[in-house]
């Protein structure tokens, strides 16, 4: 099958779409990805890439075509708006000519925020008369209020019309959480909706690299609670910092690995409170993260207290499960329910630093018991049953084939 993918984000930016498409490509399918110049999460164009011009490259047998994009810089609402619009404009201007001779069977659009990045895919679907499948990672426009980036009711109504337009012009909508279905149904005029969860590739690289080995050793030497991923407003990592202040056990350390719009503020916040049991580490490439976090004692998921986020299953949930390390959740909603019902770790309510410190202490207390090792076993089993990348790739290809027919 020939698959044309439209995604504002792609490797070397760290998103699940990278590994999923690589897995599909290995099954002898031809994939072309239309994307922008990489700049997420720091808002700066990655080294080796120019802001201007068209770039063609190859990523593990996947054809990648990059168009100019204005980077997100500091992720305030104005910069994000310019960044989102620049991808739409570049996509509408350049994509039709860049793939004019590209014969595809299906068009697939990967949609973390912003959902508006599907607009160039809709245009291509119209020009090429091919079916369009969307993979929705967030509920729009609700998540704009969650992130405090949108407060105008007029803009909310406008964006709601845009979302309806996007859904209406698709042929199938894939959702990463089953709780999305009611919201999307209300906006999509009962389009075909399929639950297709995020997955994670277990093609781990145990790396011989001084920086990676240093991080891994540092985590292994302590009873380490690790957060790995984007450091933004949704993650509510101030709660994690405040919980660390309440933990008096010198053997417990919290490691925060990654970059994002809130990292500088968080490091300053921890420093101002003289918190020494929190360690910030630089981000590492997604293919190397397993080498580090497999040495943790617990892996933390933290999200803001918000009804919209209750529906979300963050992609780091699958990544964490793949390591077989118990999960510490500062979280409400569906993920909390999954962790409790399947005994995958311990849960505290969102934005409750005291409760979070208590369950971290509890995990330390049970670290050598059958209870702890039962959690580890459950994490591995639950991952293999529900989120294996190879199985997900086969499922997606079946969806493509059915929609194509």
């Amino acid at each position: 099958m020939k698959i044309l993918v439209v995604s504002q984000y792609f490797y070397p930016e760290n998103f699940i779409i990278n590994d999923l498409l690589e897995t599909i490509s290995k099954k002898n399918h031809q994939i072309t990805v239309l994307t922008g110049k990489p700049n997420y999460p720091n808002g700066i164009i990655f080294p080796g890439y120019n802001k201007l011009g068209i770039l063609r490259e190859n990523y593990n047998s996947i054809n990648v075509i990059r168009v100019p994009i204005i980077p997100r810089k500091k992720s305030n609402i104005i910069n994000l708006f310019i960044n989102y619009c620049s991808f739409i404009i570049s996509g509408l201007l350049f994509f039709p000519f860049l793939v004019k001779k590209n014969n595809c069977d299906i068009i697939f659009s990967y949609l973390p925020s912003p959902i508006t990045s599907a607009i160039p895919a809709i245009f291509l679907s119209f020009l090429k008369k091919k079916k369009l499948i969307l993979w929705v990672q967030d509920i729009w426009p609700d998540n704009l209020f969650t992130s405090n980036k949108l407060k105008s009711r007029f803009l909310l109504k406008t964006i709601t019309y845009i979302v309806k337009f996007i859904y209406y012009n698709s042929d199938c909508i894939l959702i990463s959480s089953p709780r999305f279905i009611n919201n999307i149904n209300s906006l999509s005029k009962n389009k075909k909706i399929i639950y297709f969860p995020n997955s994670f590739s277990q093609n781990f690289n145990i790396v011989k690299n001084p920086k990676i080995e240093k991080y891994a050793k540092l985590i292994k030497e302590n009873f380490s609670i690790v957060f790995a991923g984007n450091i933004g407003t949704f993650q509510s990592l101030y709660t994690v910092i405040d919980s660390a202040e309440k933990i008096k056990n010198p053997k417990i350390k919290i490691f925060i690995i990654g970059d994002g719009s809130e990292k500088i503020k968080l490091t300053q916040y921890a420093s101002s409170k003289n918190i020494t049991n929190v360690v910030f580490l630089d981000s590492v490439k997604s293919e190397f993260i397993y080498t580090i976090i497999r040495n943790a004692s617990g892996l933390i998921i933290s999200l803001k207290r918000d009804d919209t986020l209750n529906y979300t299953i963050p992609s780091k949930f699958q990544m964490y499960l793949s390591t077989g390390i118990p999960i510490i959740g500062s979280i409400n909603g569906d993920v909390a329910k999954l962790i409790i019902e399947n005994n995958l770790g311990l849960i505290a309510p969102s934005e409750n630093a005291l409760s979070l410190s208590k369950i971290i202490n509890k995990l330390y207390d049970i670290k050598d018991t059958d209870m702890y090792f039962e959690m580890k076993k459950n994490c591995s089993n639950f991952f293999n049953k529900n989120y294996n990348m190879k199985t997900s790739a086969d499922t997606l290809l079946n969806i493509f084939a059915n929609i194509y027919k």
Side-chain angles (χ1 to χ4, degrees), residues 225 235-248 252 254 266 269 273 275 277-278 300-305 328-332 346-362:
I225 305 298
Q235 285 70 36
S236 187
L237 290 175
Y238 291 98
T239 304
V240 177
I241 302 294
D242 290 339
S243 73
E245 187 178 24
K246 302 176 188 303
I247 296 171
K248 305 306 179 184
I252 299 176
I254 296 174
L266 274 169
Y269 181 72
K273 302 191 80 170
I275 296 173
N277 57 347
V278 175
I300 191 165
I301 294 180
S302 176
L303 284 177
K304 287 176 62 176
R305 184 174 61 246
I328 290 288
S330 173
I331 194 168
N332 300 330
L346 302 173
I347 290 296
S350 293
E351 298 188 48
N352 189 322
L354 179 60
S355 294
L356 180 56
S357 67
K358 287 180 178 179
I359 64 170
I360 291 173
N361 281 322
K362 181 178 178 180

Side-chain angles (χ1 to χ4, degrees), residues 53-262:
I54 306 297
L55 177 66
R56 294 178 182 268
E57 58 183 353
N58 186 281
Y59 169 74
N60 293 334
S61 300
I62 298 169
N63 296 316
V64 182
I65 304 175
R66 299 186 183 275
V67 295
I69 193 170
I70 299 174
R72 51 199 290 136
K73 301 177 182 177
K74 294 181 179 178
S75 298
N76 58 47
I77 189 168
I78 296 175
N79 289 337
L80 288 175
F81 178 77
I82 294 171
N83 173 253
Y84 297 168
C85 288
S86 71
F87 179 77
I88 296 170
I89 294 168
S90 277
L92 293 174
L93 287 175
F94 296 116
F95 288 166
F97 301 101
L98 293 171
V99 294
K100 186 175 183 180
K101 297 181 180 180
N102 184 299
N103 295 318
C104 65
D105 299 312
I106 206 91
I107 299 175
F108 180 52
S109 185
Y110 171 65
L111 298 173
S113 291
I115 197 172
T116 51
S117 62
I119 291 173
I122 291 171
F123 189 43
L124 286 173
S125 174
F126 171 75
L127 291 176
K128 290 183 169 292
K129 296 180 172 54
K130 299 296 181 181
K131 298 292 180 73
L132 172 63
I133 300 174
L134 310 178
W135 188 17
V136 178
Q137 300 286 312
D138 287 316
I139 298 177
W140 270 63
D142 304 52
N143 70 329
L144 291 176
F145 283 93
T146 302
S147 60
N148 296 318
K149 289 173 180 169
L150 182 65
K151 297 182 180 179
S152 165
R153 290 289 166 182
F154 171 75
L155 287 176
L156 171 65
K157 195 170 183 178
T158 302
I159 294 173
T160 300
Y161 281 122
I162 294 172
V163 173
K164 287 181 177 180
F165 168 80
I166 291 169
Y167 289 155
Y168 178 78
N169 286 282
S170 68
D171 296 283
C172 178
I173 303 169
L174 309 184
I175 54 175
S176 59
S177 171
R179 291 276 296 273
F180 288 6
I181 192 165
N182 290 335
N183 178 281
I184 292 178
N185 252 333
S186 68
L187 298 175
S188 66
K189 301 289 185 182
N190 295 313
K191 286 283 183 179
K192 185 179 183 65
I193 299 174
I194 300 173
Y195 171 51
F196 180 69
N198 290 322
S199 52
F200 185 72
S201 174
Q202 287 187 291
N203 293 325
F204 303 126
N205 292 313
I206 308 302
V207 188
K208 296 295 182 181
N209 176 287
K211 177 180 175 181
I212 304 302
E213 290 178 339
K214 177 184 176 182
Y215 285 1
K217 182 181 178 183
L218 189 61
I219 289 171
K220 191 173 184 178
E221 287 174 344
N222 299 276
F223 184 87
S224 301
I225 305 298
V226 176
F227 172 92
N230 180 49
I231 303 173
T233 55
F234 288 165
Q235 285 70 36
S236 187
L237 290 175
Y238 291 98
T239 304
V240 177
I241 302 294
D242 290 339
S243 73
E245 187 178 24
K246 302 176 188 303
I247 296 171
K248 305 306 179 184
N249 187 337
K251 296 182 179 179
I252 299 176
K253 287 193 179 296
I254 296 174
F255 292 85
I256 298 177
I257 307 172
D259 283 307
S261 60
E262 294 292 302

Side-chain angles (χ1 to χ4, degrees), residues 16 19-20 22-24 27 135 195-203 381-400:
I16 184 181
D19 290 329
L20 182 61
E22 182 181 353
T23 304
I24 291 173
K27 298 176 181 291
W135 188 17
Y195 171 51
F196 180 69
N198 290 322
S199 52
F200 185 72
S201 174
Q202 287 187 291
N203 293 325
N381 290 342
F382 193 76
F383 171 82
N384 289 326
K385 182 179 179 181
N386 296 282
Y387 303 122
N388 183 278
M389 180 67 74
K390 292 180 180 178
T391 303
S392 292
D394 289 337
T395 301
L396 185 60
L397 286 169
N398 286 334
I399 293 171
F400 286 168

Side-chain angles (χ1 to χ4, degrees), residues 255-392:
F255 292 85
I256 298 177
I257 307 172
D259 283 307
S261 60
E262 294 292 302
K263 184 171 184 178
I264 293 176
K265 294 178 183 177
L266 274 169
T267 55
Q268 292 172 344
Y269 181 72
S271 178
S272 69
K273 302 191 80 170
N274 198 30
I275 296 173
T276 58
N277 57 347
V278 175
V279 180
F280 290 88
L281 301 178
D282 295 336
S283 63
V284 299
K285 292 183 178 180
S286 58
E287 60 263 39
F288 300 152
I289 192 66
Y290 175 78
T291 305
I292 298 172
I293 67 174
R294 71 191 182 109
N295 296 288
S297 304
L299 298 170
I300 191 165
I301 294 180
S302 176
L303 284 177
K304 287 176 62 176
R305 184 174 61 246
D306 182 90
D307 289 341
T308 301
L309 292 179
N310 288 346
Y311 299 168
T312 302
I313 300 177
S315 58
K316 68 163 51 66
F317 178 61
Q318 290 85 357
M319 177 182 73
Y320 285 177
L321 288 174
S322 71
T323 66
I325 303 295
I327 296 175
I328 290 288
S330 173
I331 194 168
N332 300 330
D334 287 5
V335 173
K337 185 177 179 182
L338 286 172
I339 293 170
I340 293 169
E341 290 181 349
N342 297 282
N343 190 25
L344 306 174
L346 302 173
I347 290 296
S350 293
E351 298 188 48
N352 189 322
L354 179 60
S355 294
L356 180 56
S357 67
K358 287 180 178 179
I359 64 170
I360 291 173
N361 281 322
K362 181 178 178 180
L363 191 70
Y364 178 84
D365 291 339
I366 66 170
K367 67 181 186 305
D368 295 319
T369 68
D370 290 343
M371 187 185 301
Y372 180 81
F373 291 107
E374 183 69 18
M375 287 178 184
K376 288 172 66 71
K377 180 180 177 182
N378 292 342
C379 287
S380 295
N381 290 342
F382 193 76
F383 171 82
N384 289 326
K385 182 179 179 181
N386 296 282
Y387 303 122
N388 183 278
M389 180 67 74
K390 292 180 180 178
T391 303
S392 292

